Amino acid sequence: MAQKNYLDLKKEVWETGICSGCGACVAVCPADALSFPKGEMVTSPVSSGYCKQATDSVACGACYAACPRTGPQGEETLGTYLELLSARSASEVPHAQSGGAVTAILAHALDAGLIDAVVTVSEDRFTLKPSSAIITRSEALISVAGSRYSWWVPLLAALKTAVVEKKYRRIAVVGVPCAVQALGKIHTSDNDLLVPYANAIRLVIGLFCTESFDYSSLINTQLRVRHNLEPFEIKKLDVKGKLSIEKTDGSTTSIPLAELESCIRKGCHSCTDFTALNADISAGSVGSPAGETTLLVRNATGKAFVDAAVRGEKLLVKEGADVPAVEKLAKAKIKKNKKH
């Protein structure tokens, strides 16, 4: 059976509006033929028109094999895990979204030489514009802690730079469920072109996610125009049943999520994974007290990194979390999106 190529991906995923925007196809394309254009509500990548397989009949299929939307979506809530913890950083993490636990785990891993790079999302504090980033120092990692993963960016596109150009071989990736799904497909694929990526990724941390907002639609249309809010006036954004906004002057406000429906990326409506089921560690603020992070430690790899951070006195943990609270949001996402 012939491998499917970008034309199949375009027909089955891009043109049907289910593209997650994770950037995996951009990263693994050996011809550098795929990219995400700039602009409001970009729904999928574009191609230069060249494809090794479609144009030159050279076996490839890397983009299709890495895409998280080419297979069925599951309907699990928490998935399998070894430990359920409430955790927080042992030291203060400025701008931390909840307990700073993810930052503590990764900062310790960098300092201890367990990893040599983190592929994650950074944020311009003035514009709130997100961008994919490759971070190699714990100090730099701490400085971007708390960046919101709800504002869409093709995170995994940075993997090409990390793996192919920089030659990092011990990479941790932090991403929302769609990106984690793509990494899971890369790890289990028998496509030879994906092997270097699979071998280079040592740790995957997934973030709880209900949906992702388009940056321009959210910041320019909703916050600037409709609510007269400039991004530099915003200290912190959080999504918990509503969009909570903490301003730099100390005041707070909120926007009902119903008002933000037009900002949600179209591809998010087909995702039924809330807790990043394919991660080594899944993390989110739901299920733990304020100032703490819920951690689902899913396998031996995830446990090794958590235990190392605890031994290094960078992470404080306690057993248990509010499972029904996490399951409630997970089930709500499944119910909302499974019809798509």
Side-chain angles (χ1 to χ4, degrees):
M1 180 175 165
Q3 289 176 315
K4 292 193 173 184
N5 57 51
Y6 98 92
L7 293 174
D8 299 291
L9 192 64
K10 182 171 182 265
K11 179 180 179 181
E12 296 177 24
V13 178
W14 302 354
E15 292 179 352
T16 58
I18 64 173
C19 173
S20 71
C22 70
C25 60
V26 176
V28 302
C29 176
D32 293 325
L34 305 180
S35 62
F36 273 91
K38 295 181 180 180
E40 184 169 334
M41 203 55 77
V42 173
T43 59
S44 62
V46 293
S47 171
S48 67
Y50 173 76
C51 173
K52 288 178 64 177
Q53 187 165 319
T55 307
D56 296 335
S57 300
V58 176
C60 183
C63 62
Y64 192 95
C67 179
R69 293 291 184 261
T70 54
Q73 288 286 303
E75 293 188 16
E76 292 185 76
T77 54
L78 268 65
T80 59
Y81 57 92
L82 301 178
E83 295 179 328
L84 177 63
L85 306 170
S86 288
R88 63 181 176 88
S89 172
S91 58
E92 183 180 357
V93 178
H95 307 292
Q97 196 67 24
S98 51
V102 171
T103 300
I105 293 167
L106 294 172
H108 176 267
L110 282 170
D111 289 341
L114 301 176
I115 57 176
D116 49 22
V118 178
V119 173
T120 185
V121 173
S122 182
E123 180 182 71
D124 185 314
R125 300 289 182 193
F126 191 80
T127 66
L128 299 187
K129 190 173 181 63
S131 60
S132 54
I134 302 169
I135 299 173
T136 58
R137 295 182 300 108
S138 60
E139 297 86 353
L141 184 74
I142 292 169
S143 74
V144 302
S147 295
R148 289 301 299 155
Y149 296 88
S150 298
W151 328 137
W152 170 72
V153 61
L155 164 68
L156 297 183
L159 272 179
K160 176 161 284 183
T161 301
V163 175
V164 178
E165 297 179 23
K166 300 293 185 180
K167 309 294 184 186
Y168 293 128
R169 292 295 177 263
R170 297 172 297 166
I171 298 171
V173 182
V174 183
V176 289
C178 56
V180 173
Q181 290 170 14
L183 295 174
K185 296 199 72 172
I186 289 172
H187 269 292
T188 57
S189 174
D190 58 3
N191 188 305
D192 291 342
L193 292 169
L194 302 186
V195 172
Y197 295 92
N199 289 343
I201 298 168
R202 177 166 288 186
L203 174 69
V204 177
I205 298 182
L207 304 173
F208 295 176
C209 178
T210 52
E211 63 253 330
S212 182
F213 298 116
D214 177 74
Y215 168 81
S216 184
S217 298
L218 178 72
I219 301 299
N220 296 330
T221 302
Q222 284 289 339
L223 299 187
R224 273 192 168 127
V225 175
R226 297 186 181 178
H227 293 274
N228 197 31
L229 267 175
E230 290 292 336
F232 54 77
E233 297 179 286
I234 298 171
K235 180 180 180 180
K236 185 178 180 180
L237 293 167
D238 199 7
V239 178
K240 286 185 179 178
K242 58 185 177 181
L243 178 64
S244 299
I245 303 169
E246 181 181 343
K247 299 171 67 175
T248 53
D249 64 6
S251 63
T252 61
T253 187
S254 64
I255 303 173
L257 291 182
E259 288 187 24
L260 304 178
E261 280 291 320
S262 62
C263 302
I264 299 173
R265 296 193 75 256
K266 187 176 180 180
C268 291
H269 295 303
S270 62
C271 179
T272 56
D273 185 354
F274 173 70
T275 60
L277 299 164
N278 298 101
D280 299 311
I281 303 169
S282 295
S285 60
V286 181
S288 288
E292 297 183 14
T293 306
T294 298
L295 297 181
L296 286 163
V297 184
R298 297 193 178 279
N299 54 34
T301 297
K303 180 172 171 53
F305 277 89
V306 169
D307 290 350
V310 172
R311 288 195 304 269
E313 300 182 343
K314 301 296 184 183
L315 184 70
L316 303 175
V317 302
K318 59 184 181 183
E319 292 187 2
D322 187 349
V323 171
V326 181
E327 288 187 324
K328 180 180 179 180
L329 282 181
K331 289 177 180 177
K333 181 174 182 178
I334 293 170
K335 182 179 179 179
K336 179 182 178 183
N337 293 340
K338 69 178 181 179
K339 61 181 177 292
H340 294 273

